[in-house]
Amino acid sequence: MKDDRDYSYNEIETFELVQKYEELIRQNKSFFFDVLEFEAIINYYLDNEELANASESIRVAIGMHPYSSEIQLLKAELFITEKKYSDALVILDFLEQIHAEKSEVLFLKGQAFFNMNNFIKADENFAKSIEACTEEKSELVYRISSIYFVEEELNTAIRYLLEAHRLDPNHFATLFDLAYSFEKINEIEKSYYYYNKLLDLYPFTQNVWYNLGIVLTKQGKFDEAIEAYDYCIAIDPEYNSAYHNKANTLASIERYKEATSVFQELILLEPENPRIYCSLGECYEKTEKFEQALEMYNKTISIDPAFAEAYYGIGIIMNERKQPNLALDFIKKSIALESEQYDFWLGLGKVYYELNNIEEALKAYREATILNPDEPDAYLALAEIYLYQEKFRDVECMFDELGPKFEGNASMKVLNAAALYLSHRRKEALDELKVAKRIDPTSIDDFFSIVSVINDDDFVNQTKQL
């Protein structure tokens, strides 16, 4: 639908006109509206997605103004909205020959072809529409970009957005969509650039500060991200998502005390949100305030008895309190509720291992690797068990199968080196340790915490020279 129509009526006047029209229809009275008035009425219905009313008002309008190309154009727009693309194109092909505003006709043709997945013809008609446009060209280009943007054809959307930006460098929606689109295609630096450009022009726009916070988090600039969320909250103290993101960012960088304060603020805004209580419980858990953590996890469950993470959190605390059997019950409950959570299976494996139930621990860790093959922790846990079982070849085979996936993980190199050394393959072990030390200089110490090297001073000296 056209975003910037040339009304002669403001919003209130249009609403009053529609009410007058509907009252005359209800009373079945004779009346007359000119083309401009019908355009306002029909556009009102189209913009509010009242398609039956739009269709009826078009029928009435054509009865009064059978030769109006403006009403026919709106009929074509209705057909596009109703997915009657062939019917729309019949009208638009005719209007292309006679209508004064060819640009709008060609735009609608492009939209129809786009919705029919005929992207070549869509692009052709959009290009002709831009060429034919004599005024407000930047707005037209932005409208075209929006068609691609809504359907997440972001690379094409960006092409049109950049042109719209060239024509009107200060247009808010163009800059916002550019920043958002670049973020979505993971061109984070460009996204950062356009959000900052927006803030130079519109510094008190809370959702821009919020989105900038997300981009800064992706860049690893956590302090700046938190500052961006603070600006968002300062502009709009009830922008709940900013509190969520700020708290989660603080928790992710282990600033649990500050995260706790933000989650407590959030409780005032969303007192029945179980997610907040659970996250607050996790902050207390991480700072070993177990009683408060349990209180928050139980509060979570009282609001939502099926909130799996709360049961898991209780299980972790029970395990920390050396009550592994209780821990097992709670973690199993969490898995019964959400069976595809990687962390739950990882935690289950740890508890089984501490209960010396090695086979069940192995099963849990293997399930975790299936659920998330790109996370290293479950593989590391498996390798440690294989070492404990003296299955050194299994360690080597597992790491060989993983190939270069975790090439930059020093812990995996250390465990592989341990298996190689214990298999009496000292040179290969040293090669692995050399790579591990390059990744993390403390990894040699990790090796000696795993392997007791007795009466092998030569090997110890060689590790010192790595």
Side-chain angles (χ1 to χ4, degrees), residues 436-447:
K437 186 178 180 181
R438 196 159 55 236
I439 300 166
D440 178 2
T442 67
S443 56
I444 304 298
D445 295 334
D446 295 337
F447 174 83

Side-chain angles (χ1 to χ4, degrees), residues 168 213 220 229 248 250 289 333 370 451:
D168 183 358
Y229 294 133
N248 290 327
L250 287 164
K289 296 178 179 177
K333 173 71 173 174
I370 292 167
V451 179

Side-chain angles (χ1 to χ4, degrees), residues 142 149 161 165 168-183 189-213 215 235:
Y142 174 72
F149 181 84
L161 285 165
H165 177 54
D168 183 358
N170 297 337
H171 189 259
F172 179 91
T174 299
L175 286 166
F176 189 91
D177 287 358
L178 269 171
Y180 185 83
S181 296
F182 278 124
E183 180 199 337
E189 290 300 324
K190 289 181 181 178
S191 178
Y192 174 80
Y193 171 80
Y194 284 107
Y195 279 131
N196 274 290
K197 207 165 172 51
L198 261 175
L199 289 169
D200 288 341
L201 296 165
Y202 310 98
F204 298 105
T205 315
Q206 61 268 40
N207 58 330
V208 178
W209 282 110
Y210 175 77
N211 284 16
L212 180 62
V215 167
I235 297 165

Side-chain angles (χ1 to χ4, degrees), residues 275-332:
R275 166 66 58 192
I276 299 169
Y277 293 99
C278 192
S279 297
L280 183 54
E282 190 175 350
C283 287
Y284 286 134
E285 176 202 317
K286 296 293 186 184
T287 52
E288 298 186 353
K289 296 178 179 177
F290 295 134
E291 284 303 322
Q292 288 161 287
L294 285 171
E295 184 184 347
M296 291 301 102
Y297 287 140
N298 283 315
K299 176 66 175 176
T300 304
I301 292 165
S302 72
I303 297 170
D304 182 358
F307 205 95
E309 287 176 49
Y311 293 99
Y312 179 71
I314 295 171
I316 295 299
I317 292 172
M318 293 300 107
N319 199 45
E320 289 290 332
R321 289 181 163 181
K322 309 301 179 190
Q323 295 176 279
N325 287 307
L326 260 178
L328 207 59
D329 289 340
F330 280 102
I331 293 174
K332 281 182 175 180

Side-chain angles (χ1 to χ4, degrees), residues 102-104 106 127-135 137 140:
K102 265 200 181 119
S103 177
E104 184 63 20
L106 291 162
K128 289 178 185 177
S129 174
I130 294 167
E131 188 179 347
C133 185
T134 56
E135 53 186 47
K137 188 172 285 193
L140 171 65

Side-chain angles (χ1 to χ4, degrees), residues 60-77:
V60 174
I62 290 173
M64 290 187 190
H65 306 284
Y67 304 111
S68 168
S69 58
E70 287 80 8
I71 303 299
Q72 290 296 327
L73 194 65
L74 289 169
K75 186 176 183 181
E77 186 172 344

